[in-house]
Structure formats: structure tokens, C-alpha cells
Amino acid sequence: MRFVPKKPPEGINVSEVHPLAEAGTLILGLSIIFTAIALALVFFVDVILIIVPKETEAKLFSSWTPDDLIPIVADDERVSETRALVKRLAHHWPDSPYTFRLEVSEAESPNAMAFPGGLIVVTTALLDRVETENELAFVLGHELGHFRNRDHLRQLGRGVVLGIFFTVLSNNEGSANLGISIADLTLRGFSREQESDADSFALEIVYAEYGHVDRSWSFFDRKIEDDYGSSDLVSYFSTHPSASDRIEDLKRYAETHGWPLTGPIECLTW
Amino acid sequence: MTGQIELMVNFGIPLLLLIVAYFIGNAIEKRHYKQIRHREEKVHGFPVITFDTLPLDWQVGSAEMVTGNVVISLDYFKRIIAGLRGIIGGRVKTYEPLLDRARREALLRMIEDAKARGYNAVVNVRLETSRLANARKDGKGTAGVEMLAFGTAITLI
């Protein structure tokens, strides 16, 4: 028997596909699939919310407070005045099943949050930076808008959706990052829509209370100086629409309803 | 401002890492292939066969076991793409050049070992692969692939 050596041919054990092409197909395909799954889960959350009415929610959470919250009781003047303002604004939404409560929490950044059961929490930084009662009324009205649309429960559902994605995909290195990012992005789109709706409701409440919408959004006007001019791409990735977009939308909303843009301003007692 | 930072952290940095890993990994792979082909030219004609019994007309003078092994690591790009494949299934085409290189490199090292010791051929050649696990707690994840080629080197009278 003779040994006859031949030159080994190339490319038999290696596929013809370019790695970048394969990467592109995989990433694109999976992004589409993950977006579809995220949308389906969001729809599912919405269906659940229809099944659980506001009255049940109000009853279940009527005395609940979040554990990591530190309410300020010391600063009497601001808390009681803000609470009174919330009551006055709530009158313009007579069908609400909630008894609204207000707490103040110590924090560095101005924020207002809506919790299940009709609890609104504002931070001390917010009360520090607010200049007129009209502004504060707008912020509180915005939170009332969230209650009306049940956004706080939707956001809880969003947390659960992300949690599901993370648990199911965490075994797989590549897809965990991609899946979570895609789900997060999809949900932020809904979040921006919720913020817009809450803004519109806030404007309605402010108009009902004061008869005009002057200085309602001056809080955002001041915040614009902090924005480094958000590009479209950054806006796409945020949970809130950019401050300038919000102001534009609010102006247009007021104009379509024919609400006066000037009027007497109420001052705060602090 | 935070929006831009978040954008960069969530998408920009992983994407950049992926692209850099791809280009570096690709360059390393091409260079390795070039080296492999060059060495295959040099040992061309050296008999390497998988028979465990020899042809009757071959007379063996001396025999010894020879081995060649190599460890090749994955790069970030390959790992991510293979992870995505793990959901859908199908051929993991990015791993194929990896295993091809490992096999050829291991065989080359075995042949070079035999040649260096003065043998004429290597018979009963076998290949073994094992996956080197990550240092992660659950042992999942692949740090690299080890390929071992071994056989019996003989001198022919």
C-alpha cells in the first residue's frame, strides 16, 4: 500500500456566511421577536387592569405607604397647605374613588410620585424649587392624571414584565442584554404617552381651579436650562418626553381649548 | 444629560465592544490561518493515518506516542452571537473556524513533535475535544476549547 499525500482543500469545515451578516440577521430577528413579546405582555397587563377596577384598588391600598419612604411631619406649613391644595384639585374630579393622601419625603431631586391607593409623594426638593401655587397645582394635577389612567399600576406591570424577561433570558449571555434593552425601550414608549396624557389632564384640572393656565408649566421652562438640548435619539430613549416637547404640547392643548394663557397668579405661603 | 449617558451605557458600549471584538478576533483568526497553511506546506507528505493496524508491508523499527494540543479562546463577539443562537437553534457558524483551527493546529503540533523526534509516520491518530469552563459559579459559559491529537509515531525500516 502506498501513502499518497494530497493538499488539503480549504473551506470544507467552515461555512460561507460572513460573521457580520449572521450577526445582523440574528440581532434583527431577535429584536423583532422580543419587541412582539414585550408588546403582548403590555397588552396582557392592560387587560388585567380592566378586570381590577379603581374601587378595588382604592380599598386594597387605602392605608398603604411604601417602606423606604421617610415622611416629613416637622415642616407643618408646607405639608398641610399642599394637602389642602390636593383636596381642592380633587374636587374637579368628582367620580374619583380615591381618598387622596399626600406625604413629603426627603430627597435631593425634585420629584412627585403616584402610589397605589391614592397616595401622592412629593420630595422636599420639589417644594423648595416650586415658585407659584399654579405650578404646584400643575404638578399635583399631573399625578392625579396618573391615577385617572392607572399609570402607576401599569408601571408596576412594566417592572414585572422586565423581571420576566430577565429571569427567562438570564441563562443566555448574548440575549439577556438584547432582550432586556428591547423590552425596556418598548415600554418607555408607552411611558412617554402616559406622561403626555397626565400633562393634559393636569392642564384641565388647573383650568378648572383657576380659570386660566398661566405659569402652569414654568417649572419645565426652568428645567430646560439643565437639559443639554435633547436630540431626537435621546428623547426616544427617555421615559418622559423632553421638557421642550411637553411645553409645546401643553401650549397647543390650551390653545385648542381656548383657555386663557394669562391670569392672576396665586402665591405660596413659603 | 442622563438620557445620553443611559443611551451610551445600554447600547453604545456593548455595541462598541462587539465591533472591536469582531475586528480583533477576525484579524487574529486570519493570521492564525496563514500560519497554519504555511506549516501544513512544510509537513506535507508526512503520513498521518488513523489505522490502528498497519498495512502488512510496513516494517516498524521503533514506536512512540506523540501528542499535540492547543487551547483556543472565544472572543466576545463569538460568544454573544452563539448566545443568540442558543435561543433559536441552528448551526453556530461563528464557532466553525474556531474548531477548524483547533483541529489543524493540534494535528500540526503532533506531526511536528513526531518529526522532531525523527519518526517517519504517525498511525492510530485520534482527536479529543474538551470545553474549558468559565470560572463562573455554576460552571456554565465557555472560556475556550481544547483540542488534543494523539497517535503512535513509528519509524519505517
Side-chain angles (χ1 to χ4, degrees), chain A residues 78-138:
Chain A
R78 300 202 299 191
V79 165
S80 52
E81 187 175 335
T82 319
R83 283 199 182 124
L85 182 57
V86 170
K87 277 206 169 56
R88 274 166 38 213
L89 293 174
H91 277 136
H92 300 287
W93 178 17
D95 321 321
S96 92
Y98 301 105
T99 326
F100 291 108
R101 296 169 292 141
L102 181 100
E103 300 292 346
V104 180
S105 115
E106 180 85 49
E108 294 261 317
S109 62
N111 211 350
M113 299 156 269
F115 287 102
L119 171 66
I120 302 179
V121 175
V122 295
T123 58
T124 48
L126 182 87
L127 293 178
D128 290 337
R129 289 175 68 156
V130 103
E131 281 174 12
T132 64
E133 194 185 88
N134 300 59
E135 268 173 30
L136 187 55
F138 182 82

Coordinates of all heavy atoms in Angstrom, one line a residue, chain A residues 78-138:
Chain A
R78 N -45.8 73.6 55.0 CA -45.9 73.2 53.6 C -46.8 72.0 53.4 O -47.5 71.9 52.4 CB -44.5 72.9 53.0 CG -43.6 74.1 53.2 CD -42.4 74.0 52.2 NE -41.5 72.9 52.5 CZ -40.4 72.8 51.9 NH1 -39.9 73.7 51.1 NH2 -39.6 71.7 52.1
V79 N -46.7 71.0 54.3 CA -47.4 69.8 54.1 C -48.9 70.1 54.1 O -49.7 69.6 53.3 CB -47.1 68.7 55.2 CG1 -48.1 67.6 55.2 CG2 -45.7 68.2 54.9
S80 N -49.4 70.8 55.2 CA -50.8 71.0 55.3 C -51.4 71.8 54.2 O -52.4 71.6 53.6 CB -51.2 71.6 56.7 OG -50.4 72.8 56.8
E81 N -50.6 72.8 53.7 CA -51.1 73.7 52.6 C -51.1 72.8 51.3 O -52.1 73.0 50.6 CB -50.1 74.9 52.4 CG -50.7 75.8 51.4 CD -49.8 77.1 51.3 OE1 -49.1 77.4 52.3 OE2 -49.8 77.7 50.2
T82 N -50.1 72.0 51.1 CA -50.1 71.1 49.9 C -51.3 70.2 49.9 O -51.9 69.9 48.9 CB -48.8 70.4 49.8 OG1 -47.7 71.3 50.1 CG2 -48.6 69.9 48.4
R83 N -51.5 69.6 51.1 CA -52.7 68.7 51.3 C -54.0 69.4 50.9 O -54.8 68.8 50.3 CB -52.7 68.1 52.7 CG -51.7 67.1 53.0 CD -52.1 66.2 54.2 NE -51.0 65.2 54.4 CZ -50.4 65.1 55.5 NH1 -50.7 65.9 56.6 NH2 -49.4 64.2 55.7
A84 N -54.1 70.6 51.4 CA -55.3 71.4 51.1 C -55.5 71.6 49.7 O -56.6 71.5 49.1 CB -55.3 72.7 51.9
L85 N -54.3 71.9 49.0 CA -54.4 72.1 47.5 C -54.8 70.8 46.8 O -55.6 70.9 45.9 CB -53.0 72.5 47.1 CG -52.8 72.9 45.6 CD1 -53.8 74.0 45.2 CD2 -51.4 73.3 45.3
V86 N -54.3 69.7 47.3 CA -54.7 68.4 46.6 C -56.2 68.2 46.8 O -56.9 67.9 45.8 CB -54.0 67.2 47.3 CG1 -54.6 65.9 46.8 CG2 -52.5 67.3 47.0
K87 N -56.8 68.5 48.0 CA -58.2 68.4 48.2 C -59.0 69.2 47.2 O -60.0 68.8 46.6 CB -58.6 68.7 49.6 CG -58.4 67.6 50.6 CD -59.3 67.7 51.8 CE -59.2 66.4 52.6 NZ -57.9 66.0 53.0
R88 N -58.5 70.5 47.1 CA -59.2 71.4 46.2 C -59.2 70.9 44.7 O -60.2 71.0 44.0 CB -58.6 72.8 46.3 CG -59.2 73.6 47.4 CD -58.3 74.8 47.7 NE -57.8 75.5 46.6 CZ -56.6 76.2 46.6 NH1 -55.9 76.2 47.7 NH2 -56.2 76.8 45.6
L89 N -58.0 70.4 44.3 CA -57.9 70.0 42.9 C -58.8 68.7 42.7 O -59.4 68.5 41.7 CB -56.5 69.7 42.6 CG -55.5 70.9 42.6 CD1 -54.1 70.4 42.4 CD2 -55.9 71.8 41.5
A90 N -58.9 67.9 43.8 CA -59.6 66.6 43.6 C -61.1 66.9 43.4 O -61.8 66.0 42.9 CB -59.4 65.7 44.8
H91 N -61.5 68.0 43.9 CA -63.0 68.4 43.7 C -63.3 68.4 42.2 O -64.5 68.1 41.9 CB -63.3 69.7 44.3 CG -63.5 69.6 45.8 ND1 -63.0 70.5 46.7 CD2 -64.2 68.7 46.5 CE1 -63.4 70.1 47.9 NE2 -64.1 69.1 47.8
H92 N -62.4 68.7 41.4 CA -62.7 68.8 40.0 C -62.7 67.5 39.3 O -62.9 67.4 38.1 CB -61.6 69.7 39.3 CG -61.6 71.1 39.8 ND1 -62.6 72.0 39.6 CD2 -60.8 71.7 40.7 CE1 -62.4 73.1 40.3 NE2 -61.2 73.0 40.9
W93 N -62.5 66.4 40.1 CA -62.6 65.1 39.5 C -63.6 64.3 40.5 O -63.1 63.5 41.3 CB -61.3 64.4 39.5 CG -61.3 63.0 39.0 CD1 -62.3 62.3 38.3 CD2 -60.3 62.0 39.2 NE1 -62.0 61.0 38.1 CE2 -60.7 60.8 38.6 CE3 -59.0 62.0 39.8 CZ2 -60.0 59.6 38.6 CZ3 -58.2 60.9 39.8 CH2 -58.7 59.7 39.2
P94 N -64.8 64.6 40.4 CA -65.8 64.1 41.4 C -66.0 62.6 41.4 O -66.3 62.0 42.5 CB -67.1 64.8 41.1 CG -67.0 65.3 39.7 CD -65.5 65.5 39.4
D95 N -65.8 61.9 40.3 CA -66.0 60.5 40.3 C -64.9 59.7 40.9 O -64.9 58.5 40.8 CB -66.2 59.9 38.9 CG -67.0 60.9 38.0 OD1 -68.0 61.5 38.6 OD2 -66.7 61.0 36.8
S96 N -63.8 60.3 41.3 CA -62.6 59.5 41.7 C -63.0 58.7 42.9 O -63.5 59.2 43.9 CB -61.4 60.4 42.0 OG -61.4 60.7 43.4
P97 N -62.6 57.4 42.9 CA -62.9 56.5 44.0 C -61.9 56.7 45.1 O -62.0 56.0 46.2 CB -62.9 55.1 43.4 CG -61.9 55.3 42.3 CD -62.0 56.7 41.8
Y98 N -60.8 57.5 44.9 CA -59.7 57.5 45.8 C -60.0 58.6 46.9 O -60.5 59.7 46.6 CB -58.4 57.9 45.1 CG -58.0 56.9 44.1 CD1 -58.1 57.3 42.7 CD2 -57.4 55.7 44.4 CE1 -57.7 56.4 41.7 CE2 -57.0 54.8 43.4 CZ -57.2 55.2 42.1 OH -56.8 54.3 41.1
T99 N -59.5 58.4 48.1 CA -59.3 59.5 49.0 C -57.8 59.8 49.0 O -57.0 59.0 49.4 CB -59.7 59.0 50.5 OG1 -60.7 58.1 50.4 CG2 -60.0 60.2 51.3
F100 N -57.5 60.9 48.4 CA -56.1 61.2 48.1 C -55.4 61.6 49.4 O -55.9 62.3 50.2 CB -56.0 62.3 47.1 CG -56.4 61.9 45.8 CD1 -57.6 62.4 45.2 CD2 -55.7 61.0 45.0 CE1 -58.0 62.0 44.0 CE2 -56.1 60.6 43.8 CZ -57.3 61.1 43.2
R101 N -54.2 61.0 49.5 CA -53.3 61.4 50.7 C -52.0 62.0 50.1 O -51.6 61.6 49.0 CB -53.0 60.1 51.5 CG -54.2 59.5 52.2 CD -53.8 58.1 52.7 NE -53.5 57.2 51.7 CZ -52.6 56.3 51.7 NH1 -51.8 56.2 52.8 NH2 -52.4 55.4 50.8
L102 N -51.4 62.8 50.9 CA -50.1 63.4 50.5 C -49.1 63.2 51.5 O -49.3 63.4 52.7 CB -50.3 64.9 50.2 CG -49.0 65.5 49.7 CD1 -49.0 65.7 48.2 CD2 -48.8 66.9 50.3
E103 N -47.9 62.8 51.1 CA -46.8 62.7 52.0 C -45.6 63.4 51.4 O -45.5 63.5 50.2 CB -46.4 61.3 52.4 CG -47.5 60.5 53.0 CD -47.8 60.9 54.4 OE1 -47.0 61.7 55.0 OE2 -48.9 60.5 54.9
V104 N -44.7 63.9 52.2 CA -43.5 64.6 51.7 C -42.3 63.7 52.1 O -42.2 63.3 53.2 CB -43.3 66.0 52.3 CG1 -42.1 66.7 51.8 CG2 -44.6 66.8 52.0
S105 N -41.4 63.5 51.2 CA -40.2 62.7 51.5 C -38.9 63.6 51.2 O -38.9 64.4 50.4 CB -40.2 61.4 50.7 OG -39.1 61.4 49.8
E106 N -37.9 63.2 52.0 CA -36.7 64.0 51.9 C -35.9 63.4 50.7 O -35.5 62.3 50.7 CB -35.9 63.7 53.2 CG -34.5 64.4 53.3 CD -34.6 65.8 53.8 OE1 -35.3 66.0 54.8 OE2 -34.1 66.7 53.2
A107 N -35.6 64.3 49.8 CA -34.7 63.9 48.6 C -34.1 65.0 48.0 O -34.5 66.2 48.1 CB -35.6 63.1 47.6
E108 N -33.0 64.7 47.3 CA -32.1 65.8 46.6 C -32.8 66.3 45.4 O -32.5 67.4 45.0 CB -30.8 65.2 46.3 CG -29.9 64.8 47.4 CD -28.9 65.9 47.7 OE1 -28.3 66.4 46.8 OE2 -28.8 66.2 48.9
S109 N -33.5 65.4 44.6 CA -34.0 65.9 43.3 C -35.5 66.1 43.4 O -36.2 65.4 44.1 CB -33.7 64.9 42.3 OG -34.3 63.6 42.6
P110 N -36.0 67.1 42.7 CA -37.5 67.4 42.7 C -38.2 66.3 42.0 O -37.9 65.9 40.9 CB -37.6 68.7 41.9 CG -36.4 68.8 41.1 CD -35.3 68.0 41.8
N111 N -39.2 65.7 42.7 CA -39.9 64.6 42.1 C -41.3 64.6 42.8 O -41.5 64.9 43.9 CB -39.2 63.3 42.4 CG -39.4 62.3 41.3 OD1 -40.3 62.6 40.4 ND2 -38.7 61.3 41.3
A112 N -42.3 64.0 42.0 CA -43.6 63.7 42.6 C -44.0 62.4 42.0 O -43.8 62.1 40.9 CB -44.6 64.8 42.1
M113 N -44.5 61.5 42.9 CA -44.8 60.2 42.6 C -46.2 59.8 43.0 O -46.7 60.3 43.9 CB -43.9 59.2 43.3 CG -42.4 59.4 42.9 SD -41.3 58.8 44.2 CE -41.1 60.2 45.2
A114 N -46.8 58.9 42.2 CA -48.2 58.4 42.5 C -48.1 56.9 42.9 O -47.5 56.1 42.2 CB -49.1 58.5 41.2
F115 N -48.6 56.6 44.1 CA -48.6 55.2 44.5 C -50.0 54.7 44.6 O -50.9 55.4 44.7 CB -47.9 55.2 45.9 CG -46.5 55.4 45.9 CD1 -45.9 56.6 46.3 CD2 -45.6 54.4 45.6 CE1 -44.6 56.8 46.3 CE2 -44.2 54.6 45.5 CZ -43.7 55.8 45.9
P116 N -50.1 53.3 44.5 CA -51.4 52.7 44.6 C -52.2 53.2 45.8 O -51.7 53.3 46.9 CB -51.2 51.2 44.6 CG -49.8 51.0 44.0 CD -49.1 52.3 44.4
G117 N -53.5 53.3 45.6 CA -54.4 53.7 46.7 C -54.6 55.2 46.9 O -55.2 55.6 47.9
G118 N -54.1 56.0 45.9 CA -54.3 57.4 46.0 C -53.3 58.2 46.8 O -53.5 59.3 47.3
L119 N -52.1 57.6 47.0 CA -51.1 58.3 47.7 C -50.2 59.1 46.8 O -49.6 58.5 45.8 CB -50.2 57.3 48.5 CG -49.0 57.8 49.2 CD1 -49.3 58.7 50.3 CD2 -48.2 56.6 49.8
I120 N -50.0 60.3 47.0 CA -49.1 61.2 46.3 C -47.9 61.5 47.2 O -48.1 61.9 48.3 CB -49.7 62.5 45.8 CG1 -50.9 62.2 44.9 CG2 -48.7 63.3 45.0 CD1 -51.6 63.4 44.4
V121 N -46.7 61.3 46.7 CA -45.5 61.7 47.4 C -44.7 62.8 46.7 O -44.4 62.6 45.5 CB -44.6 60.5 47.7 CG1 -43.3 60.9 48.4 CG2 -45.3 59.4 48.5
V122 N -44.4 63.9 47.3 CA -43.6 64.9 46.7 C -42.3 65.0 47.5 O -42.3 64.7 48.7 CB -44.3 66.3 46.6 CG1 -45.5 66.2 45.7 CG2 -44.7 66.8 48.0
T123 N -41.2 65.4 46.9 CA -40.0 65.5 47.6 C -39.8 66.9 48.1 O -40.3 67.9 47.6 CB -38.8 65.1 46.7 OG1 -38.8 66.0 45.6 CG2 -38.9 63.7 46.3
T124 N -38.9 67.1 49.1 CA -38.7 68.4 49.7 C -38.0 69.3 48.6 O -38.3 70.5 48.6 CB -37.7 68.3 50.9 OG1 -36.6 67.4 50.5 CG2 -38.4 67.7 52.1
A125 N -37.2 68.6 47.8 CA -36.5 69.4 46.7 C -37.6 70.1 45.8 O -37.4 71.2 45.3 CB -35.6 68.5 45.9
L126 N -38.7 69.3 45.5 CA -39.7 69.9 44.7 C -40.3 71.1 45.3 O -40.5 72.2 44.7 CB -40.8 68.8 44.4 CG -41.9 69.3 43.5 CD1 -41.5 69.1 42.1 CD2 -43.2 68.6 43.8
L127 N -40.7 71.0 46.6 CA -41.3 72.1 47.3 C -40.4 73.3 47.4 O -40.8 74.4 47.4 CB -41.8 71.6 48.7 CG -42.9 70.6 48.7 CD1 -43.2 70.2 50.1 CD2 -44.1 71.1 48.0
D128 N -39.0 73.0 47.5 CA -38.1 74.1 47.5 C -38.1 74.8 46.2 O -38.0 76.1 46.2 CB -36.7 73.5 47.8 CG -36.5 73.0 49.2 OD1 -37.3 73.4 50.1 OD2 -35.6 72.1 49.4
R129 N -38.2 74.1 45.1 CA -38.0 74.8 43.8 C -39.2 75.4 43.2 O -39.1 76.2 42.3 CB -37.4 73.8 42.8 CG -35.9 73.4 43.1 CD -35.4 72.4 42.2 NE -35.3 72.8 40.8 CZ -34.5 72.3 39.9 NH1 -33.8 71.3 40.3 NH2 -34.5 72.8 38.7
V130 N -40.4 75.0 43.7 CA -41.6 75.5 43.1 C -41.8 76.9 43.5 O -41.5 77.3 44.7 CB -42.8 74.6 43.5 CG1 -43.6 75.2 44.6 CG2 -43.5 74.1 42.4
E131 N -42.3 77.8 42.6 CA -42.4 79.2 42.9 C -43.8 79.8 43.0 O -44.0 80.7 43.8 CB -41.6 80.0 41.8 CG -40.1 80.0 41.9 CD -39.4 80.6 40.8 OE1 -40.1 81.2 39.9 OE2 -38.2 80.4 40.6
T132 N -44.7 79.2 42.3 CA -46.1 79.7 42.5 C -47.0 78.5 42.8 O -46.7 77.4 42.5 CB -46.6 80.4 41.2 OG1 -46.6 79.3 40.2 CG2 -45.7 81.5 40.8
E133 N -48.2 78.9 43.3 CA -49.2 77.8 43.6 C -49.6 77.2 42.3 O -49.9 76.0 42.3 CB -50.4 78.4 44.3 CG -51.2 77.3 45.0 CD -52.5 77.9 45.6 OE1 -53.5 78.1 44.9 OE2 -52.4 78.3 46.8
N134 N -49.7 78.0 41.2 CA -50.2 77.4 39.9 C -49.3 76.3 39.5 O -49.7 75.3 39.0 CB -50.2 78.5 38.9 CG -51.1 79.6 39.2 OD1 -50.9 80.3 40.2 ND2 -52.1 79.9 38.4
E135 N -47.9 76.5 39.6 CA -47.0 75.4 39.2 C -47.3 74.1 40.0 O -47.3 73.0 39.5 CB -45.6 75.9 39.6 CG -44.9 76.5 38.4 CD -43.6 77.1 38.9 OE1 -43.0 76.5 39.8 OE2 -43.2 78.1 38.4
L136 N -47.4 74.3 41.4 CA -47.6 73.2 42.2 C -48.9 72.5 41.9 O -48.9 71.3 41.9 CB -47.6 73.6 43.7 CG -47.6 72.5 44.7 CD1 -46.4 71.6 44.5 CD2 -47.5 73.1 46.1
A137 N -49.9 73.3 41.6 CA -51.2 72.7 41.2 C -51.0 71.8 40.0 O -51.6 70.8 39.8 CB -52.2 73.8 41.0
F138 N -50.2 72.3 39.0 CA -50.0 71.6 37.8 C -49.3 70.2 38.1 O -49.7 69.2 37.6 CB -49.1 72.4 36.8 CG -48.9 71.6 35.5 CD1 -49.9 71.7 34.5 CD2 -47.8 70.9 35.3 CE1 -49.7 71.0 33.3 CE2 -47.6 70.2 34.1 CZ -48.6 70.2 33.1

